[in-house]
Amino acid sequence: MKRWMILCGALALPPVVAAQEPAGSTTPIQPAASSTPTSTSTPPGEAPLPTAASDSAKVRISRALRTKGINAAVAEYWRLHDQDSTATPESLLNELGYDLLKQSRVDDAIRAFRANIAAYPNSPRVYEAIGDAYLAGGHRTAARDGYRRAAELDSTMTRSRRLADSLNAHLRH
């Protein structure tokens, strides 16, 4: 529970939103401090380019998702990330999350995006992605908070700022 509260703090989400963790979720979310990417070849604010290792990681995570579910896929992600963080770029879980959204698996997508936030807490893209997932799931307040955080981290994220403002206006009425 403590790790979950740390993640909520990073998201600036109220604990009520935190209680929306899917039932049966047993895979812990890694704390952000131990999951900082170590690659220095990628400019700040840009996702690392896919490598052979990340392609292999994608296959392994996809297989775990297909055979054992989202918790096993996230656990496999963390196992691979702990071995070699360059094999698990930010784009890996973002792509997985959006693929899950396309399949209307909103709770699984949220789980993938939460893990990505824990791994890359300073990336505005991960907050925009979780905003998209929350919005798809009808969680407008959480979506607004995700979009707001993305815009705070990067002022050029105009889509996030616009969506946060729109949701905020809608929530006031």
Side-chain angles (χ1 to χ4, degrees):
M1 186 63 170
K2 182 178 177 185
R3 288 181 178 165
W4 179 241
M5 296 309 291
I6 291 169
L7 180 58
C8 288
L11 274 173
L13 297 177
V16 173
V17 174
Q20 296 172 357
E21 177 74 18
S25 177
T26 59
T27 306
I29 295 178
Q30 296 285 340
S34 67
S35 304
T36 305
T38 57
S39 173
T40 57
S41 61
T42 303
E46 291 185 23
L49 296 174
T51 63
S54 67
D55 288 343
S56 174
K58 183 176 182 176
V59 168
R60 293 171 80 172
I61 292 167
S62 295
R63 183 181 311 126
L65 176 67
R66 187 176 60 252
T67 60
K68 298 177 185 173
I70 189 64
N71 289 334
V74 170
E76 180 67 10
Y77 171 83
W78 285 117
R79 191 181 69 69
L80 294 169
H81 185 79
D82 289 344
Q83 287 177 357
D84 178 11
S85 64
T86 62
T88 54
E90 174 189 323
S91 62
L92 184 68
L93 285 179
N94 251 23
E95 289 174 15
L96 176 69
Y98 280 111
D99 287 345
L100 290 165
L101 279 179
K102 289 176 189 172
Q103 299 170 29
S104 299
R105 295 173 61 181
V106 176
D107 290 340
D108 289 349
I110 290 170
R111 181 82 172 102
F113 291 139
R114 284 179 179 162
N116 215 16
I117 287 171
Y120 298 95
N122 296 318
S123 170
R125 284 182 297 283
V126 299
Y127 292 98
E128 184 174 62
I130 203 163
D132 292 341
Y134 278 130
L135 190 59
H139 306 288
R140 292 180 180 157
T141 303
R144 179 204 57 201
D145 293 343
Y147 291 133
R148 182 181 292 157
R149 182 68 179 138
E152 288 171 358
L153 288 170
D154 184 349
S155 61
T156 65
M157 301 283 289
T158 56
R159 176 182 177 267
S160 289
R161 187 177 330 105
R162 190 177 65 249
L163 286 167
D165 291 346
S166 175
L167 286 166
N168 198 43
H170 180 75
L171 290 168
R172 282 188 284 204
H173 290 93

